Amino acid sequence: MTALKHTESVSAKDNVILVGTAKTDFSKHGLSPEENAYVKKQVAAEEHIINVNQYNRRIVVYIEDKKKEGFQTIEACRKAGSRVCGIMNTAKAESATIVDLTGNTENILAFTEGMALANYQFIHYRQDIKKVANSLKTINVHSKKVKAKDIEHLQIIVDATCKARDLVNEPVNHLNATDLAKEFEKMGKEAGFKVEVFNKAKITALKMGGLLSVNLGSIDPPTFTVMEWKPKHAKNKKPYVLVGKGVVYDTGGLSLKPTANSMDEMKCDMAGGAAVGCTMYAIAKANLPVYVVGLVPATDNRPGMNAYVPGDILTMHNGMTVEMLNADAEGRLILADALSYAKKYDPELAIDLATLTGAAAAAIGKYGIVAMGTADKKVKDKLKKSGKEVFERLVEFPFWDEYADLLKTEIADMKNIGGPVAGAITAGKFLEKFTSYPWMHFDIAGPAFINAPYDYKPKGGTGVGVRLLVDFLTNIKN
Ligand code: BES
Ligand code: ZN
Ligand code: ZN
């Protein structure tokens, strides 16, 4: 992982990134008069990233790119950081120092964040790892405004996001439900939050019929991980409960995924669970004064063994019955049990994160998170604000009662699929039946896993949700 350091001085040997505006005088920062003239010319031509290749080091100038709204400018800084990360790695730089010539803390932190997030690689299975590994190991930040503790906080967020990416990128033959729970245990030990893993016997005793049914087709047992961060100085009495879908692989079960290649990326189906575990990790490491519980039901979804079959009627943790008509709509079944279990905490707010529907991904793609739920407007607004800040934007979908009608069946309390329309919403409506407290559902099927690098997000797992939740929980006031 990339090391972030706050530095009081700028080494004359280190690669340097000078962050300024079009009006900044860069001449005193290691540029020769010719180089300075070149920079000036590029600035006049409205270039934002200017690359000066000196004999023994790189100097990159970044001219802040002011957008209409603050959060867009910040995102432009992250994107620029990501491009400069590429420049530094191409130059085989091992370290680089960001020099703040603007005094704009948010922009400098965003630039650093973009650079560090872009430096992520998932290459540990490669034998030529040394050859392909990025050279950049350390990013130093030199700024009067940005404090050492800001950099420490950013390091936690970057590490947690990269951990979530790692978990998503690990395939199921290396990360089954038990392995995932073990990873959470390790993270709990390292960061100082409590982790309890329920095994199959305990899950059976709790009558989690959704999770147990999805697991029937698998050889590996399910797990249900309960994580708790309850600091003495917590501002809230009732906890925020985070619930993450932990389907470590989704074949679709007996309703085997029908489309060509649609299974290729299904190791990503625990991205919600990864986001929840890694958020717990971040808030505990940062010692945030909030009481938070994380729940991750986990299993693979396969057609083997005694797999559940379309037509089965399941009895869920809360006693409700579900006619299972599509084994590929498994996420809602395991989440339903977790949401029902969450009731015992009397949550201030519960948020679930799940790669739940292709419909959500089809509707808005990788560009945002499909959100819906019963939380009040104030809470929704805060979540949306966090979404903008970290650029994991929320799109709220309608959540009208009529959509629940699509889940009706004559022979059970509900079925696990809706009709041909509004698939993301009917999935949400299904979950709603298992909640009895303020709740939000985030469908991250679009942004959780991408098939090509995109700005500071690498191909594969993106770690979406971690930065969003940490930002939201950091801003809890009551
Ligand atoms: N894990 C999938 C959803 C998904 C699709 C995630 C694409 C990431 C990318 C989920 O379990 C699923 O299969 N949903 C079905 C539901 C349908 C059968 C009602 C879907 O969206 O097709
Ligand atoms: Zn599925
Ligand atoms: Zn799934």
Side-chain angles (χ1 to χ4, degrees):
M1 301 223 184
T2 318
L4 305 179
K5 288 182 183 154
H6 187 266
T7 175
E8 297 298 330
S9 58
V10 183
S11 154
K13 283 189 200 141
D14 200 14
N15 303 288
V16 164
I17 302 136
L18 305 172
V19 181
T21 68
K23 292 189 184 127
T24 307
D25 176 11
F26 294 103
S27 66
K28 296 186 197 81
H29 299 279
L31 297 170
S32 69
E34 291 80 9
E35 288 164 347
N36 193 48
Y38 168 73
V39 167
K40 272 190 174 164
K41 216 169 103 191
Q42 296 297 103
V43 171
E46 293 188 6
E47 283 294 331
H48 287 278
I49 295 176
I50 304 153
N51 196 351
V52 179
N53 196 358
Q54 293 188 330
Y55 171 64
N56 59 348
R57 66 161 175 176
R58 290 268 160 154
I59 296 185
V60 176
V61 173
Y62 174 55
I63 306 296
E64 276 174 359
D65 195 359
K66 265 222 156 2
K67 304 282 183 196
K68 255 196 209 139
E69 291 197 56
F71 78 94
Q72 292 166 325
T73 304
I74 290 171
E75 178 66 358
C77 290
R78 289 189 195 99
K79 288 184 186 179
S82 143
R83 279 180 56 196
V84 173
C85 175
I87 292 173
M88 289 300 170
N89 279 311
T90 307
K92 297 273 173 267
E94 285 174 23
S95 91
T97 302
I98 296 168
V99 180
D100 174 14
L101 302 174
T102 65
N104 189 327
T105 306
E106 274 192 317
N107 290 5
I108 293 294
L109 286 172
F111 187 96
T112 313
E113 183 178 43
M115 215 173 148
L117 287 174
N119 204 33
Y120 171 85
Q121 292 181 292
F122 184 77
I123 48 174
H124 70 95
Y125 289 111
R126 291 184 62 147
Q127 289 199 305
D128 61 352
I129 180 163
K130 284 220 170 86
K131 216 168 91 193
V132 295
N134 286 341
S135 58
L136 188 67
K137 303 285 179 248
T138 310
I139 302 169
N140 303 301
V141 178
H142 177 72
S143 165
K144 283 204 182 84
K145 285 276 175 66
V146 179
K147 302 291 178 233
K149 70 167 187 1
D150 298 327
I151 299 296
E152 278 165 32
H153 188 71
L154 181 60
Q155 178 89 64
I156 291 170
I157 289 168
V158 168
D159 288 353
T161 305
C162 292
K163 241 179 215 305
R165 291 174 176 178
D166 274 345
L167 290 174
V168 172
N169 289 331
E170 283 295 343
V172 69
N173 68 330
H174 289 272
L175 192 94
N176 62 20
T178 304
D179 300 323
L180 180 64
K182 278 190 187 145
E183 289 298 320
F184 292 146
E185 280 176 331
K186 267 197 241 162
M187 285 158 51
K189 272 209 185 98
E190 191 194 325
F193 62 90
K194 228 171 90 182
V195 181
E196 195 183 348
V197 179
F198 298 165
N199 62 14
K200 189 173 175 180
K202 173 86 183 188
I203 293 165
T204 307
L206 287 169
K207 300 189 175 161
M208 292 186 168
L211 179 55
L212 289 165
S213 298
V214 174
N215 182 253
L216 283 172
S218 172
I219 288 175
D220 297 333
T223 57
F224 187 97
T225 304
V226 181
M227 297 169 264
E228 191 177 283
W229 170 245
K230 193 178 187 181
K232 288 210 174 71
H233 58 306
K235 289 182 179 169
N236 54 322
K237 285 228 159 57
K238 291 162 54 160
Y240 288 84
V241 177
L242 310 176
V243 178
K245 172 175 173 182
V247 172
V248 286
Y249 197 82
D250 185 9
T251 66
L254 278 171
S255 312
L256 204 63
K257 287 202 172 285
T259 335
N261 305 324
S262 62
M263 234 183 268
D264 294 3
E265 298 181 345
M266 279 306 136
K267 66 176 182 180
C268 82
D269 217 14
M270 34 57 74
V276 167
C278 294
T279 299
M280 297 302 295
Y281 176 82
I283 61 171
K285 274 224 146 175
N287 198 19
L288 284 195
V290 275
Y291 173 22
V292 184
V293 172
L295 305 174
V296 180
T299 177
D300 48 341
N301 181 26
R302 293 200 203 236
M305 304 287 281
N306 193 27
Y308 69 158
V309 298
D312 275 356
I313 297 178
L314 324 178
T315 303
M316 310 294 281
H317 175 259
N318 69 351
M320 282 183 174
T321 55
V322 175
E323 185 183 13
M324 196 288 278
L325 288 174
N326 190 318
D328 199 10
E330 83 298 339
R332 64 196 74 185
L333 297 171
I334 74 168
L335 288 170
D337 282 342
L339 288 169
S340 160
Y341 185 79
K343 190 176 174 191
K344 73 173 217 169
Y345 294 101
D346 186 21
E348 175 73 34
L349 169 72
I351 304 174
D352 76 76
L353 288 92
T355 45
L356 204 60
T357 64
I364 66 164
K366 65 187 172 190
Y367 305 100
I369 296 172
V370 168
M372 60 199 86
T374 57
D376 69 32
K377 187 174 175 304
K378 258 192 180 163
V379 173
K380 285 181 179 171
D381 285 347
K382 280 187 189 163
L383 284 162
K384 286 176 190 168
K385 183 162 186 284
S386 287
K388 281 184 173 182
E389 291 300 329
V390 304
F391 220 73
E392 294 182 352
R393 292 165 296 180
L394 302 177
V395 184
E396 190 177 356
F397 273 28
F399 211 44
W400 303 315
D401 295 340
E402 288 76 7
Y403 290 112
D405 295 345
L406 301 171
L407 296 165
K408 281 186 179 156
T409 166
E410 283 173 12
I411 63 167
D413 295 329
M414 73 200 89
K415 51 183 176 158
N416 76 329
I417 47 165
V421 299
I425 303 171
T426 50
K429 279 288 169 192
F430 180 93
L431 298 178
E432 185 188 17
K433 294 182 187 288
F434 299 86
T435 65
S436 49
Y437 39 74
W439 156 79
M440 289 303 290
H441 162 55
F442 291 170
D443 195 328
I444 56 170
F449 197 92
I450 52 180
N451 57 16
Y454 180 57
D455 296 331
Y456 48 88
K457 297 170 203 82
K459 175 177 156 74
T462 60
V464 69
V466 176
R467 292 167 55 245
L468 172 70
L469 291 173
V470 174
D471 187 87
F472 173 71
L473 294 167
T474 304
N475 290 312
I476 298 297
K477 294 272 154 37
N478 58 310

